[in-house]
Amino acid sequence: MGRLGWGEHFGGLAARLGGAFGSDGAFAHDRLRFVDFVDDVEELLEEVARRERGDEEAADGFEEFVLRHYGG
């Protein structure tokens, strides 16, 4: 994201998604449902796309892609 010039948008990302990962870096399924996490990330990407491109649809399909490939 930094190479695209979007790095400043992700400075507070960890705080906004706090509790999603344990100290070992693994997703914390006991604290947050994966589908809720993916939805939150898609909303953040839509916000960045809206600010940078004026069109949040640039992030469309993210949630479906991730859930189809990693949701099990």
Side-chain angles (χ1 to χ4, degrees), residues 3-72:
R3 284 184 277 162
L4 293 172
W6 293 2
E8 71 272 5
H9 297 291
F10 295 95
L13 181 63
R16 291 181 68 179
L17 298 173
F21 297 93
S23 60
D24 61 355
F27 184 75
H29 292 276
D30 60 330
R31 289 183 256 161
L32 181 66
R33 292 182 334 146
F34 185 68
V35 294
D36 293 335
F37 170 75
V38 172
D39 185 53
D40 290 345
V41 171
E42 182 178 54
E43 287 179 21
L44 291 171
L45 292 173
E46 287 173 348
E47 182 180 313
V48 171
R50 188 173 32 257
R51 276 191 265 158
E52 291 297 318
R53 300 207 171 175
D55 181 13
E56 69 182 42
E57 290 182 21
D60 277 354
F62 172 81
E63 184 174 8
E64 291 82 13
F65 175 83
V66 170
L67 293 178
R68 184 173 46 246
H69 287 86
Y70 303 106

